[in-house]
Amino acid sequence: MRWSDFSKLIKFRLTFLVVFSASISFLIGSKVNGEIVWKNWALLIIGGFLVTGAANGFNEIIEKDLDKLMLRTADRPLPSGRMTNGQALVLSLFMGIAGTYILGHLNLTTGYLSVFSIFLYAFIYTPAKRKSPVAVFIGAIPGALPPLIGYVAAHPKIDYIALVLFGIQFVWQFPHFWAIAWVLDDDYKLAGFRLLPSGKRDATSAAITFLFTLILVPVSLLPTYYNFGGLYVGAVSLLCSFAFLYFAFNLLLKQDISSAKKLMYSSFFYLPIVQLALLFDFVGK
Ligand code: HEM
Ligand SMILES: CC(C)=CCC/C(C)=C/CC/C(C)=C/COP(=O)(O)OP(=O)(O)O
């Protein structure tokens, strides 16, 4: 088994950013608790990586025949035949069990939320993708749980801070994904996926994407509003949200693939910058 196949099976770059978001909210939860237990931070990162890798592994086993039809995913280890379902299943089960054990070791809530995320993502969202664009709203729940899981791993009670961290990542995913779905619509069509809000590249999809990017502006100001992110975080969030909104407006105006690509790339920058700003501001206190 080559690293490149393993990294494709677990969708390494996506998994990296998912775990990154959890590791930041762990530090925020630790500050609320009053101390940072670095051993637990390491356990969260390892466990989070394993459970997210497992979720993606199960997803790729279920979508093997569909991934074969799309240019973007045809070279993944299962559709390309470089890995068997059995190997992927053993790997994913091992990662899922090991990851859940590690996270459960931190506290039970963290363990339960991780199993719930794997289940929701791999066994509800993944089959729903073929049915309707509503699947994106289902996938956005496990996609937004990592920051909540990271926070709870350090601070076992789900409080308003955990919910705000969940909320920001939840709303961010819509422009993130609908920009990708716009760029890749022809590819998705090969596998019969219709994941844009209206099912196609049109003013309605661009308008709904713009609307959710607009909603992200006040949502990203919640840490400042609830006073666990300072004015500095508010300023960075506002700047990033307006930049994000500019690209979403640009897509609404032009409704073309290059505008969707710019919105997609801005989504990759938005989340880490806003989460890092929250971290520096919070830990810096
Ligand atoms: C509804 C939820 C989401 C959907 C449907 C979604 C979908 C996708 C898709 C289809 C790609 C393209 C991957 C490729 O080019 O092969 C992608 C890329 C990416 N996503 Fe998301 N994503 C979601 C949530 C998230 C979350 C929660 C994160 C991290 C916090 C994330 C981070 C990334 C990153 C870093 C990439 C670039 C990875 C790469 O190019 O290989 N996404 N996403
Ligand atoms: C703690 C835990 C287990 C959380 C789950 C985190 C997770 C895997 C989030 C990803 C969210 C998501 C819907 C990704 C897209 O998958 P896709 O199947 O649409 O992507 P693809 O088309 O590239 O396969």
Side-chain angles (χ1 to χ4, degrees):
M1 149 107 75
R2 298 202 308 253
W3 162 257
S4 68
D5 281 339
F6 179 69
S7 103
K8 282 190 181 127
L9 180 75
I10 64 166
K11 298 178 199 166
F12 179 78
R13 288 192 298 249
L14 184 144
T15 297
F16 180 84
L17 192 57
V18 166
V19 174
F20 177 84
S21 64
S23 67
I24 286 198
S25 54
F26 175 89
L27 296 176
I28 292 171
S30 306
K31 286 294 280 185
V32 175
N33 247 5
E35 59 152 348
I36 299 179
V37 181
W38 293 104
K39 177 172 85 57
N40 290 354
W41 187 62
L43 288 174
L44 169 82
I45 288 170
I46 295 162
F49 198 86
L50 288 169
V51 295
T52 305
N56 283 320
F58 292 133
N59 166 279
E60 292 197 7
I61 292 168
I62 296 169
E63 289 198 323
K64 170 183 175 179
D65 296 334
L66 290 163
D67 280 349
K68 208 176 284 183
L69 303 173
M70 294 186 284
L71 304 177
R72 171 177 68 88
T73 53
D75 184 44
R76 285 176 168 170
L78 288 172
S80 65
R82 294 194 304 272
M83 188 188 289
T84 66
N85 279 359
Q87 289 167 325
L89 189 57
V90 165
L91 251 181
S92 302
L93 280 172
F94 169 76
M95 290 191 289
I97 293 165
T100 304
Y101 175 77
I102 291 171
L103 294 178
H105 185 70
L106 294 175
N107 64 58
L108 275 184
T109 314
T110 309
Y112 286 138
L113 283 172
S114 304
V115 172
F116 174 67
S117 303
I118 295 176
F119 177 76
L120 203 52
Y121 170 66
F123 305 111
I124 309 287
Y125 161 73
T126 302
K129 278 169 76 177
R130 270 163 269 167
K131 302 279 180 300
S132 107
V134 171
V136 181
F137 289 85
I138 302 170
I141 297 168
L145 278 172
L148 188 142
I149 290 170
Y151 182 88
V152 163
H155 177 274
K157 209 168 63 58
I158 298 180
D159 60 12
Y160 69 97
I161 297 180
L163 293 175
V164 166
L165 295 171
F166 174 90
I168 295 171
Q169 190 143 318
F170 182 79
V171 177
W172 165 85
Q173 287 171 95
F174 296 103
H176 162 72
F177 178 58
W178 286 330
I180 290 167
W182 189 295
V183 173
L184 295 170
D185 192 43
D186 299 327
D187 204 30
Y188 271 121
K189 262 190 211 138
L190 298 173
F193 284 127
R194 323 295 306 120
L195 288 162
L196 278 164
S198 72
K200 54 185 188 299
R201 292 179 179 132
D202 61 11
T204 310
S205 289
I208 292 175
T209 303
F210 177 77
L211 176 69
F212 276 80
T213 316
L214 192 60
I215 293 170
L216 188 56
V217 177
V219 169
S220 67
L221 287 177
L222 288 175
T224 305
Y225 177 76
Y226 282 111
N227 203 20
F228 68 88
L231 283 180
Y232 153 67
V233 166
V236 169
S237 302
L238 212 52
L239 257 177
C240 290
S241 299
F242 279 130
F244 207 16
L245 198 60
Y246 164 76
F247 287 113
F249 185 67
N250 185 44
L251 175 62
L252 183 57
L253 282 187
K254 296 188 186 149
Q255 295 179 31
D256 59 11
I257 291 184
S258 84
S259 306
K261 256 189 195 140
K262 286 174 191 148
L263 180 60
M264 177 182 84
Y265 285 117
S266 66
S267 81
F268 296 149
F269 287 100
Y270 180 89
L271 201 65
I273 292 173
V274 168
Q275 290 182 339
L276 278 172
L278 205 44
L279 175 70
F280 294 141
D281 181 83
F282 209 88
V283 175
K285 269 183 186 151

